[in-house]
Amino acid sequence: MPAAGPQPHRRLVDGLVAADPEVESQLLAASHSHVLAVSSAADARAADHARRAARRRWETLRNVHDPRRRRHVHIALGFAGCVLAAAALTVLNRLELRAILAGSLAAAVVLAAAGVWLGGAWCVALARRDDRRRTVMVLAAAAVLLDALLATLYALGAADSWLADLPGMVVALLISGVAVVASALMEFTEPAFVASARWQWRRAEATYRQAATVAGADAESAAAAMTAWLTLMRARLSAEIGGDDCLMRECLVYAASIVTA
């Protein structure tokens, strides 16, 4: 038996595409818009999955390392505060020890003293996070003794008068105050990896919004191109098939399928 020919709707549409350059051009434009829409929609779905995963990671880390939501100080502010505290401790220790230290050894001792205060503040912050009150009390007592030692060293280089000893005691109290502030900052500053996870989530959110915007624009362009393609096909086919609505419907369905194939 001879092979059956193409169906009428296929023959009509394919014939128009082959014979009319404008129809072929409109088909290529509609197909291109459809491909872009499909690609951008896939990118938006991938970006959505990425932002959801990033948010889950951030929330998981925050729930594990800050279950009570106490560490609410941004890491940038906490780091800047600790740098200022380190500078203040260095200056105050230099004022406290300048009466008995001189030469190249003074800078090393002052930096070591500032490091001791910062280390103590860090230990107190960790002890408070873990609710180790005995450790906090021991460190507080050590801070009082160190304050007394610094005030005594200042007094050794001052005049023999209680008024001359007063600045040393004031500076010692200021050192303790700066250490307490630094310890509070360390205690309430969010961990670096939690901040990094939040930043990655925010970045993934921005990427998703951008991808969703592009996908929406491409979808609108594809719909407009499909409408223009079907309108052109209806205009070209109406002259050939007359009032056969069934054949027109089959032709339009086939015309749409070759765009999305």
Side-chain angles (χ1 to χ4, degrees):
M1 295 179 60
Q7 297 177 347
H9 62 278
R10 290 177 178 267
R11 177 175 53 78
L12 288 171
V13 172
D14 293 341
L16 279 175
V17 172
D20 194 333
E22 183 180 355
V23 172
E24 184 182 17
S25 177
Q26 188 62 50
L27 173 60
L28 292 175
S31 299
H32 178 67
S33 297
H34 174 72
V35 170
L36 286 180
V38 171
S39 176
S40 58
D43 292 340
R45 287 193 297 270
D48 183 41
H49 293 159
R51 67 154 182 162
R52 289 173 179 269
R55 179 163 186 168
R56 282 195 301 271
R57 180 174 179 271
W58 168 63
E59 291 179 342
T60 300
L61 289 174
R62 186 179 59 168
N63 291 336
V64 171
H65 297 281
D66 188 20
R68 306 292 181 185
R69 303 295 187 268
R70 299 179 59 207
R71 305 172 72 174
H72 51 269
V73 178
H74 195 279
I75 187 170
L77 294 177
F79 181 76
C82 288
V83 171
L84 291 177
L89 287 172
T90 301
V91 173
L92 292 173
N93 280 288
R94 183 70 181 91
L95 292 174
E96 196 80 303
L97 299 174
R98 67 179 179 178
I100 62 171
L101 292 177
S104 59
L105 184 62
V109 174
V110 167
L111 291 177
V116 168
W117 280 108
L118 287 176
W122 175 253
C123 292
V124 170
L126 292 180
R128 284 177 57 84
R129 287 177 189 173
D130 298 337
D131 200 19
R132 291 178 288 152
R133 298 183 179 179
R134 186 172 300 177
T135 304
V136 173
M137 294 176 62
V138 170
L139 291 173
V144 171
L145 291 176
L146 186 55
D147 264 342
L149 176 61
L150 290 175
T152 302
L153 292 175
Y154 182 89
L156 291 177
D160 190 9
S161 171
W162 69 272
L163 289 176
D165 298 340
L166 186 59
M169 290 184 287
V170 172
V171 173
L173 291 177
L174 288 176
I175 291 174
S176 295
V178 172
V180 169
V181 172
S183 179
L185 280 175
M186 294 174 184
E187 180 181 358
F188 295 112
T189 298
E190 62 180 346
F193 45 84
V194 175
S196 175
R198 188 185 67 253
W199 178 79
Q200 292 175 1
W201 165 53
R202 297 277 175 82
R203 185 178 177 183
E205 282 279 353
T207 301
Y208 167 73
R209 286 194 296 269
Q210 183 179 3
T213 301
V214 173
D218 287 347
E220 291 180 1
S221 298
M226 178 66 78
T227 301
W229 160 247
L230 294 180
T231 301
L232 179 63
M233 289 302 299
R234 183 185 294 273
R236 293 291 194 273
L237 290 170
S238 60
E240 297 189 24
I241 64 178
D244 192 343
D245 293 338
C246 181
L247 181 57
M248 175 66 76
R249 184 167 54 253
E250 291 178 350
C251 289
L252 294 179
V253 170
Y254 175 66
S257 68
I258 62 177
V259 171
T260 60

